[in-house]
């Protein structure tokens, strides 16, 4: 017993004398996980994108080439990229617009019980299966669904039909339109926008807003010149989630939406039945490049200055 | 003198809590006015009522003759220097100072010029391009001052602006604020819990306690002629003597106020039991009891200092015992 205690004490002493050793012990497992399993497999995938596929035999040729990246710019493939980016951008903007007031209320006014209700309300949808939520939305948006029924009951069916007649965003019913895909994306990812915005708004001292008003700023000016810039790191953090999650998702557009494909679906299809791993890998690079570019722009525009 | 700020029966209640309770006050144009009191006494809430961050639950506030209840903060001719300065961290010093002009629609060149001039006035002319986070506490304080002054307010509200500064800087800023106020000629309303700050800077002082003003007057009035035991005790930690004791001394039943510096060791007088002695630098503070009444005195440098446990004889001039009516 005493030997054990002595050993424990001497280990503590050793770690106290050599703080870097403690740091190394703490950091090594996650570093190995992140470096080898996580990033390693990602780079292994990305390396595939520099190979190509023989169009006749379907065999992967292990020679470094940019031919596969060239394939991305074929109209059929490029359309997929544009469609996905536009959808991800729309979902991000939509989530910011809807999420900001919710986050603002939670950060500024909700106290005690109401704060708990807010967290519960935002987090609870995350507790249920993603697939369950998506299929529920398919039912809500279907022609026989509750939304259609609501419009009919309010004698506004003509309005919904007029909207669905618009090309690109419309369709036979909401559940097979891009609008439907947008709504489901918005619903599924919005907690990831609300929570970072709320955290950043929490950190804005109330006197900052009072100071702005005191100096003559009307409420909209205070919002524009003080609140928004100070909450911007939160909005950017949220947008990183909503944007990248939408870019990579392949289930939602498969269940709700038109038959037009998104990047995630393309990756899924090319690496599976089509057996075109190089093109799938090249598609997988697109969101990474887009996100890197997005963050670079955000940093240049000073989005992180208030951090 | 015209009235700058007038409170008529102003109250600000939060449920059962009376943050400000039936306050009447009249601040003249160009006056340096201090609101003094312990924390929670209602002085900051009164300042926020003037700025418009709070609305009174009863009473009327007039700002330069205009009824202010329905005027939002952004339309009031007053500006505030906040206790935590509340500088905008995402803007540099120049843009912070120019903020009021920017939201008022002043052109970019003109507002940069005005901001630089105002920064010059607070001796920070060279700091326009820095971020607030790159400045010291004293410098931030000056930026907050410049930012409030650039709008040319009719009254400047200062909420414990020197509270976060160290002693030396605080004394220097007191001087500067005073000379700034004299040269600009605008009304300064200053909230503080530091009685020496209030006494040294203000033309008039309002002492707050429990949401009410207990006394308004010149620093001399407040210091030498307190009307209530609370004022005597809070301003300069005077000895507040109970009415029974005062009755034995003077024959009148009243609270007595006796400054520690007015009590001195003497050949004849009252017998005092010395309880404790603490050295303050310029003087030594001696705590004692006289006929069971606790008292302190300040013994100047050079005098013979009694020890704890000793018995000493002390006295004071009759004039120094100030009487306050029992309420």
């Amino acid at each position: 017993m005493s030997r054990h205690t002595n050993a424990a004490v001497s280990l503590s002493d050793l770690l106290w004398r050599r703080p870097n050793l403690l740091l190394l012990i703490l950091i090594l497992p996650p570093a190995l996980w992140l470096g080898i399993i996580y990033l390693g497999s990602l780079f292994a995938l990305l390396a595939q994108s520099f190979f190509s596929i023989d169009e006749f035999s379907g065999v992967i040729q292990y020679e470094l080439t940019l031919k596969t990246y060239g394939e991305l710019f074929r109209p059929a493939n490029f359309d997929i990229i544009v469609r996905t980016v536009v959808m991800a951008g729309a979902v991000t903007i939509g989530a910011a617009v809807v999420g900001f007031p919710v986050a603002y209320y939670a950060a500024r006014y909700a106290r005690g019980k109401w704060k708990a209700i807010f967290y519960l309300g935002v987090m609870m949808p995350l507790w249920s299966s993603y697939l369950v939520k998506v299929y529920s939305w398919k039912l809500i948006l279907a022609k026989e669904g509750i939304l259609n029924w609501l419009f009919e009951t309010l004698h506004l069916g003509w309005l919904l039909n007029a909207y669905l007649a618009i090309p690109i965003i419309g369709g036979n019913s909401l559940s097979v339109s891009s609008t439907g895909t947008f709504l489901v994306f918005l619903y599924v990812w919005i907690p990831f926008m609300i929570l970072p915005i709320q955290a950043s708004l929490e950190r804005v001292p109330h006197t900052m807003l009072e100071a702005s008003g005191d100096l003559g700023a009307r409420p909209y000016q205070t919002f524009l010149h003080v609140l928004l810039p100070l909450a911007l790191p939160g909005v950017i953090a949220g947008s990183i989630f909503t944007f990248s999650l939408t870019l990579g998702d392949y289930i939602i557009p498969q269940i709700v939406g038109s038959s037009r494909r998104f990047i995630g679906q393309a990756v899924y299809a090319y690496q599976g039945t089509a057996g075109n791993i190089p093109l799938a890998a090249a598609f997988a690079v697109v969101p990474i490049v887009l996100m890197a570019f997005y963050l670079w722009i955000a940093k240049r525009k000073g989005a992180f200055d208030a951090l | 003198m015209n009235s700058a700020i007038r409170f008529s029966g102003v109250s600000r209640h939060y449920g059962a809590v009376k943050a400000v309770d039936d306050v009447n006050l009249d601040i003249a144009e160009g006056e340096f006015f201090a609101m003094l009191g312990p924390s929670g006494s209602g002085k900051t809430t009164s300042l926020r009522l003037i700025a418009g961050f709070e609305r009174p639950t009863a009473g009327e506030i007039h700002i330069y003759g205009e009824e202010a209840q329905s005027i939002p903060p952004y339309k009031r001719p007053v500006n505030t220097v906040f206790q935590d300065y509340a500088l905008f961290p995402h803007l540099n010093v120049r843009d912070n100072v120019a903020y009021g002009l920017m939201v008022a629609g002043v052109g970019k060149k003109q507002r940069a010029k005005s901001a630089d001039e105002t920064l010059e006035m607070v001796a920070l002319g060279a700091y326009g391009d820095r971020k607030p986070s790159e400045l010291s506490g004293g410098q931030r304080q000056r930026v907050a001052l410049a930012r409030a002054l650039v709008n040319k307010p009719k009254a400047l509200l200062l909420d414990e602006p020197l509270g976060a500064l160290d002693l030396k800087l605080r004394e220097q800023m007191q001087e500067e604020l005073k000379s700034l106020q004299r040269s600009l000629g605008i009304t300064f309303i200053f909230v503080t819990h530091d009685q020496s700050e209030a006494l040294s800077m203000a033309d008039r002082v309002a002492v707050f306690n429990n949401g009410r003003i207990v006394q308004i007057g010149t620093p001399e009035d407040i210091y030498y002629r307190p009307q209530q035991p609370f004022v005597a005790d809070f301003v300069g930690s005077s000895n507040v003597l109970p009415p029974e004791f005062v009755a034995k001394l003077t024959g009148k039943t009243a609270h007595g106020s006796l400054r520690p510096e007015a009590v001195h060791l003497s050949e004849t007088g009252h017998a005092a039991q010395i309880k404790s002695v603490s050295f303050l630098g310029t003087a030594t503070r001696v705590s004692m009891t006289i006929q069971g009444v606790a008292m302190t005195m300040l013994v100047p440098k050079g005098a013979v200092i009694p020890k704890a446990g000793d018995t000493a004889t002390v006295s004071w001039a009759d004039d120094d015992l100030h009487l306050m009516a029992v309420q």
Side-chain angles (χ1 to χ4, degrees), chain B residues 263-264 282-284 298-305:
Chain B
V263 184
H264 44 81
T282 52
T284 301
L298 283 178
V299 182
K301 200 177 134 228
V304 181
I305 311 290

Side-chain angles (χ1 to χ4, degrees), chain B residues 24-36:
Chain B
N24 293 291
L25 101 105
D26 203 339
I27 300 170
E29 210 174 320
E31 196 171 17
F32 200 132
F33 191 87
M35 294 179 173
L36 174 68

Side-chain angles (χ1 to χ4, degrees), chain B residues 178-199:
Chain B
K178 225 174 148 172
S179 66
L180 198 62
Q181 195 262 343
R182 272 196 296 263
S183 65
L184 293 171
I186 59 179
T187 313
F188 273 39
I189 302 167
F190 189 99
V191 161
T192 181
H193 65 268
D194 182 334
Q195 46 95 11
S196 70
E197 208 163 271
L199 296 181

Side-chain angles (χ1 to χ4, degrees), chain A residues 20-296:
Chain A
N20 286 336
L21 184 66
L22 178 63
L23 202 62
L24 187 72
I25 293 171
L26 288 174
I27 207 90
L28 202 60
L32 286 176
W33 171 267
L34 196 70
I36 296 173
I37 299 173
Y38 196 75
L39 289 177
S41 56
L42 185 66
F43 282 118
L45 170 76
L46 298 186
Q48 301 276 338
S49 66
F50 292 101
F51 302 143
S52 62
I53 196 160
D54 187 290
E55 283 182 33
F56 299 107
S57 61
V59 175
I60 297 171
Q61 293 175 324
Y62 294 99
E63 281 170 33
L64 294 182
T65 171
L66 289 174
K67 193 175 142 231
T68 312
Y69 281 102
E71 300 257 321
L72 289 180
F73 292 96
R74 278 193 194 168
N77 290 336
F78 198 66
D79 272 0
I80 294 177
I81 294 174
V82 171
R83 183 178 306 123
T84 312
V85 171
V86 169
M87 176 60 77
V91 169
T92 300
I93 292 167
V97 170
V98 178
F100 202 97
V102 179
Y104 183 80
Y105 169 78
R108 286 261 161 264
Y109 298 106
R111 292 284 170 269
K113 185 179 74 177
W114 289 107
K115 198 132 203 161
I117 290 174
F118 159 78
Y119 278 116
L120 211 63
V122 174
M123 306 283 273
M124 203 153 59
L126 296 176
W127 300 349
S128 65
S129 161
Y130 163 85
L131 275 177
V132 171
K133 287 184 287 185
V134 178
Y135 275 108
S136 315
W137 270 98
K138 192 175 177 67
L139 293 178
I140 293 170
L141 298 172
K143 204 158 195 93
E144 308 78 24
I146 188 168
L147 214 57
N148 215 29
W149 170 83
L150 191 70
F151 273 94
E152 293 295 343
T153 311
L154 296 172
H155 302 289
L156 290 170
W158 56 273
L159 191 67
L160 185 61
N161 288 332
Y163 179 82
L164 287 173
I166 302 171
I168 301 172
I169 57 171
N172 273 336
S173 78
L174 276 174
S175 66
V176 294
S177 68
S178 329
T179 305
T181 320
F182 169 81
L183 288 174
V184 180
F185 269 133
L186 186 63
Y187 170 81
V188 172
W189 303 142
I190 204 162
F192 298 98
M193 181 63 95
I194 292 175
L195 292 175
I197 296 181
Q198 189 247 351
S200 70
L201 287 173
E202 262 329 319
R203 290 197 322 208
V204 177
H206 194 58
T207 50
M208 213 75 89
L209 307 182
E210 287 180 347
S212 175
D214 185 72
L215 292 164
R218 281 145 202 284
Y220 79 91
Q221 290 174 313
T222 299
F223 174 78
L224 212 61
H225 298 300
V226 177
L227 195 61
L228 199 58
L230 292 177
L232 205 57
V235 178
I236 297 288
S239 72
I240 291 168
F241 289 124
T242 56
F243 196 69
S244 62
L245 287 168
T246 311
L247 280 182
D249 194 87
Y250 68 101
I251 304 220
I252 291 173
Q254 193 136 321
I255 299 171
V256 178
S258 64
S259 55
R260 292 185 285 263
R261 287 199 290 181
F262 283 75
I263 288 178
Q265 289 168 291
V267 174
Y268 182 71
Y270 281 121
Q271 61 83 38
T273 45
N276 192 345
I277 299 257
L279 188 55
F283 262 115
V285 171
V286 173
I288 297 173
V289 171
L290 284 172
M291 284 312 295
F293 183 67
Y294 175 65
L295 288 180
W296 178 68

Side-chain angles (χ1 to χ4, degrees), chain A residues 205-219 221-222 225-226 229-230 305-306, chain B residues 48 51 53 73-75 78-80 82 84 86-90 99-100 102-103 131 147 151:
Chain A
H206 194 58
T207 50
M208 213 75 89
L209 307 182
E210 287 180 347
S212 175
D214 185 72
L215 292 164
R218 281 145 202 284
Q221 290 174 313
T222 299
H225 298 300
V226 177
L230 292 177
D305 287 4
Chain B
R48 293 170 59 80
F53 306 138
Y74 53 88
K75 285 187 183 157
V78 299
N79 285 117
T80 308
F82 289 83
D84 61 358
L87 299 178
F88 306 125
H90 58 296
Y99 187 85
M102 192 256 297
V103 294
K131 282 284 175 78
R147 186 179 68 173
N151 278 9

